[in-house]
Every structure is written in structure tokens, then in C-alpha cells.
Amino acid sequence: MTIRKDLPSIFDDFSEARRNGFMAAKNFKETDRPMIGTFCTFMPQEIPLAIGAATVSLCATSDETIEAAEKDLPRNLCPLIKSSYGFGKTDKCPFFYFSDLVVGETTCDGKRKMFEMMGEFKPVHVMQLPQGPDQQHAHLVWKDEIILLKETIEKQFNVTITEEQIKETISIKNRERKALKEFYELGKLNPPAISGMDILKVLYGSTFKFEKEDTINELTELTARVKEEYVAGKKLESKPRILVTGCPIGGVTDKLVKAIEDNGGVVVFYENCMGAKAIEDLVDESNEDVYDALAEKYLKIGCSCMSPNKARFEMLGRAIDEFQVDAVVEAVLQACHTYAIETATVKDFVNNKKNKPYISVETDYSTSDIGQLNTRMAAFIEML
Amino acid sequence: MYSIGIDSGSATTKGVLYDGEKIIDKVIVPTGANPRRAMEAIYDKLYRENAYTVTTGYGRALLKVADKQVTEITCHGKGAAFLDNQISAIIDIGGQDSKVILLDRDKNIKDFLMNDKCAAGTGRFLEVIMRLLQEDLCDFDDYVSGASGTKISSMCAVFAESEVVSLLAQDVSGPSVAMGIIESISQRTANFAKKLPIDGKVFFSGGLAQIESIRKTMEKELGLEMTTHEDAQFAGAIGAAVIGYQHMSRK
């Protein structure tokens, strides 16, 4: 299979930011290395990294292709699925365009079936994720799925992946996780050193960088620099400290964080997919069986698709204490059943176990609810 | 010392003048197409030198001379507790949204829910149906007197409108349809309110609160005592004025 490098004319009228992402992706592809697109943190990046590939998140962040997606998909479906499918179908996403393989996973029914349709126009490999993390067989199934992913990649790119290579990428990914964690733990500082918007920009931006060593160095430098300036007196005003949790909302998180921070709060911790959820736990480097070690780490991700989902509540509880959180805001995407249902348990946990206020808001990828979000966030922060 | 509270709602704009103890003047005008002008008109009417002005509601950012903006949730809570200090919760059915507010012992806001995604639980729904029935909302109690409600099963205001058209075609009476709509709004609002641990005496505000048959139906659906006040429609503006006065006194 040949690696796609061409610049289709459609990208020409793209916004500057996206063009930068596009150029970075194009430059990466010039080095003759594959790019693997993913939709979820459950995908063990250590496997594609072992062949020198880059992994890139394809979760779309705007509603611009939803209309195109609705030609094939039902309207009453989560906007993340519709938008991601739409970007793939219309070739408007450079990362999708440059992905030689898309790895999906069965975190929800919508994605499971959408990937079947996406497979019609793109090479797609779907990992069957077991959703009862406490069962012994879940561990065995997931380990098997990780080996299957390795074999698919070996076959598609005509390479052999050794356990030595995986050990190496486990170590790189662990170092990246530690660097990200040290960065977002700046959120523990009280009064805050940086705004939640700045934390978000870094967490989100780091998923569009393709050279892990560079990312690790940049993050480490950035964290050190913020700490230095903090010690030298550069502190933000103390405000109600907010923890953000809920659905993967990628770029839309912007509007929620803006509504929180424009109305008198500061976001100090992100529990959702882009935040700590998949970063916090490391892969056990002392385990000689690399697949076993990977299966163990990835099954610990506290996603609402898991039942029971103890990991999420452990992390929420710990973060509320360690980051001195005053209140919790949860964002739920329309038609995301598992997160929507779990809001009741999260509210009960936050209100009654941690004695903190909690609010959940339903949103989508549009900008039409910014006024309503502002009113809700302002009222919530007035209440604190 | 005076404070002015102005509540820019989707249907009407309300304003009150407060002297720290009682409401000494109040004004209500239709919001119309120009919420800014409605707020300015009220401000001019209530104007006192050095009065501290707080705005709330959808158009709260529009009045340039205001000293402070506070959301309608906080203002409604404060305003309702000012009108009746025995309450522990507020249900407000407005022109384009509905909200439930829980108060703590000190009448501060403990929790709230807001429905602004669906017209079927709001005053707008009843307005649309009454227009269809060619009846005036002001005479509602007389209109539905003695009627029992027909079940309206549609979950959406737009579909319910076509359901009403077919009910009328089946010769179901207008008052029975109107009662059906009230029962539907009340059930929806009660279910929504019960998502919070609501208890005690509940204050009912918004335009519909003045209609007795609606308040009775709400009480039945909710299973709690509901109270209101002749100035309930001004609750948001009163809350804004009270907050403004407290703010001024602290300075």
C-alpha cells in the first residue's frame, strides 16, 4: 500500500490553525512513515508507535460536516460520531486524509456501527472492547485484541513488531504521560498559575504533535517555566476552582471553559478523555509480558462505557481533594446515553460523598447554546 | 438609598424600585423586538439619583448604565424568598424556559435545574394552543371551569399542536383540550422538578402562576403545597433590586 501525501485543493481554504496541522501532518508523511488515526484513548498507541508511525486523534470538533454525515447517519445520534464520520466522508480533515489506517473501538453502539460504514471508504480496524473491567475474561479479551491490532498493523505495513520495540514505546509513552501529568498538576497551585483555557490548549495541542521526544521536551520546559514564573510572583486571582468532567468534547470544550472562566471561575482539572482520564495511570514497565501490561493499563480507563465504572469515581474523588476543587461541571453530548445516565451517579457522588456543588449541561458541537451555557455557568458560580 | 432591579425576560421586561425595606414602585412592559429600549424605558421611569442598578434575564447585558449583572436564577431565588420567606424551593415557568431552584436555610441557592431545550414545558406552549383555540389566556380559569382534561400524548409542542387540531376535529371540546395541555405542562414540570430533592413549601412564579387552575394542577402533580404572590411576575426584578441594595450597603 502506498502512503498518501498529496495536498488536495480542498485544504487550500482551510483556516490557518488547521493548515498548520495539515503542514505538520504532510511533513511527517514526507519522512515515509505511516499515520494511524484513532477515535479513542483506549487505542494502545504503543503498538503503532513501535513501527515509527504517528497516531492522531480524529475526533472532530465542529459541526461543519454534520449535515453531510446526516445523509447516511440518523439525526438523533451523538454529534461526535456524526461530525467525525462527516469529516472522513467529505475529506475535509487533513488528519483523516493522511491516515493510512483508522483504528476504531467499540466504546458505544453508535461508533460500533458507524465504523462499519466508514470501512466502506477507508481502511478501518475495529478493536472489540470488553466493558466489564472487573472480569478476568475482560483482561484476556483485551490482551487478545491488542495482539490482533499488532498483527493487523504488521500485515498492512509489511513489518514485524518485536516485544523489544513495544517495550521501548511503552517507556516513551510513560515519559510522555509523566510530562503531561506534571504539566496539568500545575492546576494544584492555589492561587492558580495559569487559566484552565491555557491548560486545555496544551493538553489538546499535544495530541497534534507527532514526535513524542519533542513533545516531552517542550512540556517539561513549559512546566518548569510556569513554575519559575509562579515562584517569581506571577499568580492569577483566586476564584472558585472548577473540575470539568464528562463526554469527550475535544474542541467544543472551548465554549464550556470560556463560559466558566468568563463568569468568574477557573478550571483546575480535566477529568475527561483529553485530560487525566487516560494519562494518570502508567503502563507497568516491570511486567515482562508487554501485552499483559498494556491490557492492564488500558482497561483501567474510567470511561462511562464500563460497568461498573469504579475507576472514574476513584479519580474524581482524588482530584477533588488534591486540586482543592470547589465545584464540578459535567458536559454531556446529546444522545450519549452512558454519560447521560451516569450523571445521576456522579451528581450523587459529588454532592453527597464530597459535599461539593455539581451541575451537568447537555451540549453539542454548535455554537448556538453559548448564551444558555453562559447563564448556567454564571448562575452556578454565583451559587458558590 | 435606593436600588433598581430590572428583569429582561423573553416576553415582558419588569422593573422595581426598592428602598431597603419595601418595593416602592414597579413597572412592566412588553419586551417586543427591542429589549434594550424596554430596559431603558423602565430605567428612566424608576430613575433616582445614585440608585444602584442590577439587571437580570436574557437581555441583562444590554443596559449600559447598570452597575451589575446577575443571572435570573440567583435573582429569582432572592426575589421569591423576599416575597415569602417560608419557601424552600421555586418553580418558575417562563415564556421560553422553565426552572427549578432549591434554597438552603439561609435562602441562598443550593441547586437549580433549567430547561431551555424544549418549548413543551413552558408558557409558550399554552400561548400557542390558546391562539389555536381563539381564546384569551386572561380568562383561562373561567374557560376551563368544570372541564376534565383530554390526554395529550405528544412530547413536543409542535407535534402537540397538530395533535390538538385532530382532537378538535374529533369534536373534543376546547376547554377539555386546554385542561389537557395544562396537565401535560404540569406533569412535565413536576417530573423535571423531582430530579432535585424538592420538599417543603414551593413558590410558583412566572406568568402562569397567576392562573389558579394551573397552580392547582401543579400542586396535584407535585404533591407539595404551592404558593404564589401577586407580584410573583416581578420576582426576578425584586431579587435584582435586593441584591443591588445589599451590595450598596456593604460598600
Side-chain angles (χ1 to χ4, degrees):
Chain A
M1 155 148 196
T2 55
I3 292 172
R4 299 172 79 179
K5 277 182 211 165
D6 304 332
L7 167 70
S9 60
I10 191 169
F11 296 156
D12 283 347
D13 43 35
F14 266 41
S15 68
E16 204 50 42
R18 221 184 273 169
R19 199 193 302 272
N20 288 345
F22 167 75
M23 290 313 291
K26 187 166 188 298
N27 290 340
F28 181 84
K29 294 301 292 272
E30 300 285 352
T31 64
D32 262 337
R33 285 185 289 169
M35 184 167 278
I36 312 282
T38 76
F39 283 94
C40 188
T41 55
F42 279 104
M43 205 283 291
Q45 292 187 11
E46 286 84 350
I47 304 293
L49 286 175
I51 64 162
T55 58
V56 61
S57 162
L58 299 179
C59 286
T61 58
S62 86
D63 62 353
E64 95 179 60
T65 62
I66 285 184
E67 213 181 300
E70 283 176 353
K71 283 184 189 152
D72 298 342
L73 298 171
R75 278 177 57 90
N76 184 20
L77 185 65
C78 132
L80 186 152
I81 301 176
K82 283 194 290 193
S83 163
S84 304
Y85 178 86
F87 270 103
K89 184 103 203 240
T90 56
D91 246 347
K92 275 188 182 167
C93 166
F95 304 113
F96 190 92
Y97 177 81
F98 279 129
S99 292
D100 300 292
L101 174 70
V102 170
V103 181
E105 78 306 312
T106 56
T107 38
C108 76
D109 293 347
K111 274 176 158 183
R112 187 200 320 274
K113 301 308 284 183
M114 180 274 279
F115 288 132
E116 290 176 12
M117 293 167 71
M118 189 177 267
E120 300 286 319
F121 52 84
K122 192 79 183 177
V124 175
H125 172 82
V126 178
M127 298 182 80
Q128 303 286 336
L129 177 72
Q131 301 180 350
D134 294 349
Q135 314 285 1
Q136 183 55 31
H137 63 72
H139 183 83
L140 298 175
V141 169
W142 192 233
K143 183 177 165 183
D144 223 39
E145 283 290 332
I146 294 173
I147 294 170
L148 255 165
L149 172 69
K150 179 201 85 130
E151 290 169 357
T152 305
I153 289 177
E154 284 181 327
K155 205 168 140 207
Q156 172 154 355
F157 300 100
N158 201 16
V159 288
T160 310
I161 299 175
T162 66
E163 295 194 8
E164 278 315 305
Q165 286 170 324
I166 297 177
K167 269 191 187 157
E168 215 169 285
T169 55
I170 286 178
S171 151
I172 293 174
K173 274 296 293 176
N174 273 351
R175 285 195 290 121
E176 186 195 37
R177 288 185 187 107
K178 281 183 214 158
L180 282 165
K181 194 174 162 184
E182 270 171 37
F183 172 74
Y184 67 65
E185 284 188 341
L186 291 170
K188 285 184 183 172
L189 294 171
N190 190 1
I194 48 176
S195 69
M197 197 55 118
D198 287 336
I199 298 178
L200 180 70
K201 278 183 200 155
V202 173
L203 287 178
Y204 190 53
S206 72
T207 62
F208 293 99
K209 291 188 176 285
F210 308 127
E211 306 290 358
K212 295 289 177 203
E213 292 293 348
D214 294 351
T215 315
I216 296 167
N217 290 336
E218 283 168 32
L219 281 167
T220 313
E221 254 173 62
L222 177 64
T223 310
R225 180 120 181 247
V226 174
K227 278 185 180 160
E228 244 170 62
E229 290 190 354
Y230 190 76
V231 172
K234 193 169 172 275
K235 293 170 188 179
L236 302 180
E237 188 192 333
S238 278
K239 289 174 175 176
R241 300 164 65 82
I242 309 293
L243 180 151
V244 169
T245 183
C247 282
I249 43 177
V252 225
T253 325
D254 277 20
K255 69 176 176 184
L256 180 70
V257 173
K258 198 166 179 309
I260 294 170
E261 300 201 327
D262 281 354
N263 288 295
V266 58
V267 178
V268 295
F269 189 79
Y270 294 92
E271 190 269 339
N272 39 8
C273 303
M274 195 176 38
K277 204 185 275 288
I279 299 171
E280 196 87 352
D281 293 315
L282 301 180
V283 180
D284 179 6
E285 292 184 45
S286 68
N287 189 340
E288 277 307 306
D289 185 340
V290 289
Y291 302 109
D292 199 62
L294 288 172
E296 191 208 347
K297 184 252 155 10
Y298 283 93
L299 270 188
K300 273 194 295 201
I301 296 174
C303 174
S304 66
C305 72
M306 292 297 176
S307 178
N309 187 17
K310 293 177 202 153
R312 185 175 182 205
F313 294 89
E314 276 161 25
M315 182 180 287
L316 279 173
R318 210 168 56 232
I320 289 171
D321 297 339
E322 289 178 6
F323 286 72
Q324 302 158 64
V325 166
D326 295 312
V328 173
V329 173
E330 172 150 24
V332 177
L333 290 175
Q334 265 166 21
C336 177
H337 301 321
T338 52
Y339 270 105
I341 294 169
E342 205 163 272
T343 55
T345 325
V346 176
K347 181 176 168 62
D348 180 57
F349 175 78
V350 174
N351 284 166
N352 301 325
K353 297 267 168 21
K354 308 306 289 181
N355 292 314
K356 304 286 177 198
Y358 165 93
I359 187 173
S360 72
V361 285
E362 189 188 66
T363 186
D364 60 17
Y365 279 11
S366 73
T367 49
S368 63
D369 63 350
I370 284 177
Q372 296 162 351
L373 273 180
N374 266 318
T375 298
R376 274 192 176 72
M377 289 307 124
F380 185 62
I381 291 162
E382 281 166 4
M383 190 176 104
L384 300 174
Chain B
M1 263 194 342
Y2 296 103
S3 66
I4 296 172
I6 301 178
D7 178 7
S8 169
S10 66
T12 52
T13 301
K14 285 83 58 176
V16 300
L17 182 67
Y18 179 59
D19 68 357
E21 275 178 27
K22 57 190 185 308
I23 302 301
I24 49 177
D25 201 359
K26 59 184 191 216
V27 191
I28 180 166
V29 299
T31 299
N34 196 335
R36 184 200 307 271
R37 199 176 300 155
M39 292 176 86
E40 283 167 355
I42 287 182
Y43 179 76
D44 290 344
K45 193 130 192 281
L46 297 176
Y47 177 81
R48 294 286 164 103
E49 211 175 341
N50 297 327
Y52 194 89
T53 306
V54 175
T55 54
T56 186
Y58 286 94
R60 65 183 177 278
L62 293 173
L63 187 71
K64 291 279 173 286
V65 292
D67 297 291
K68 193 177 168 65
Q69 298 166 22
V70 180
T71 62
E72 53 267 37
I73 304 280
T74 306
C75 290
H76 252 90
K78 279 272 173 234
F82 177 86
L83 293 172
D84 184 343
N85 68 4
Q86 300 299 306
I87 57 165
S88 55
I90 295 125
I91 292 180
D92 176 74
I93 303 185
Q96 67 172 31
D97 66 18
S98 56
K99 36 192 175 281
V100 182
I101 303 167
L102 289 194
L103 300 178
D104 66 13
R105 215 185 35 204
D106 305 318
K107 308 301 166 201
N108 291 315
I109 297 190
K110 194 163 73 175
D111 209 344
F112 67 91
L113 282 176
M114 214 173 161
N115 156 40
D116 50 21
K117 293 247 190 286
C118 165
T122 70
R124 187 77 72 202
F125 186 26
L126 187 64
E127 213 175 87
V128 165
I129 301 300
M130 291 305 277
R131 204 179 305 141
L132 192 76
L133 297 172
Q134 294 174 314
E135 290 293 334
D136 193 344
L137 205 49
C138 299
D139 312 321
F140 192 84
D141 282 333
D142 287 340
Y143 182 62
V144 298
S145 162
S148 69
T150 301
K151 184 148 181 56
I152 309 286
S153 53
S154 290
M155 296 289 282
C156 161
V158 179
F159 285 125
E161 194 179 343
S162 39
E163 192 179 339
V164 166
V165 172
S166 39
L167 284 172
L168 295 173
Q170 290 161 32
D171 214 17
V172 175
S173 77
S176 172
V177 165
M179 263 322 275
I181 295 293
I182 286 309
E183 283 164 8
S184 164
I185 295 176
S186 301
Q187 273 162 13
R188 201 175 293 265
T189 308
N191 285 340
F192 173 63
K194 283 175 190 162
K195 285 185 178 226
L196 293 180
I198 189 165
D199 207 356
K201 195 170 164 193
V202 181
F203 191 88
F204 188 20
S205 66
L208 301 188
Q210 300 307 318
I211 304 173
E212 207 196 334
S213 49
I214 299 181
R215 200 172 62 248
K216 289 246 170 74
T217 316
M218 271 300 301
E219 241 174 7
K220 203 174 87 202
E221 292 296 340
L222 195 64
L224 292 172
E225 184 194 350
M226 290 193 85
T227 174
T228 191
H229 189 282
E230 56 178 3
D231 285 341
Q233 224 181 339
F234 289 88
I238 293 171
V242 170
I243 290 168
Y245 198 88
Q246 285 169 348
H247 202 82
M248 198 163 45
S249 318
R250 248 181 272 137
K251 273 189 178 173

